[in-house]
Amino acid sequence: MKLKYTGELDRVTVRGVDFPRNKPVTIDCENLAEKMLAWPDVVEVKRGAKADGKNAS
């Protein structure tokens, strides 16, 4: 699962995992992912269209 921190700080570190602002981070620990998603400044990154408008295939 990929998560992205969107808060005001440049980065946060939780359980040794560094979350730079607005950059996706892959999380393998399901427990950590659930806890991070409870934060209002953390969102799940879903696979979708690329920035240039082309589909990600």
Side-chain angles (χ1 to χ4, degrees):
M1 172 182 296
K2 286 190 177 186
L3 302 179
K4 181 167 52 171
Y5 169 71
T6 59
E8 294 181 13
L9 301 174
D10 288 335
R11 65 182 60 242
V12 294
T13 303
V14 178
R15 292 190 192 171
V17 179
D18 192 38
F19 293 88
R21 183 176 53 199
N22 295 323
K23 301 220 182 213
V25 175
T26 300
I27 303 297
D28 295 326
C29 177
E30 206 171 299
N31 187 304
L32 177 59
E34 287 178 19
K35 291 182 185 295
M36 293 305 297
L37 285 171
W39 290 25
D41 295 333
V42 175
V43 295
E44 183 177 356
V45 176
K46 305 232 181 200
R47 185 179 174 132
K50 291 184 179 180
D52 63 4
K54 296 180 182 174
N55 286 335
S57 304

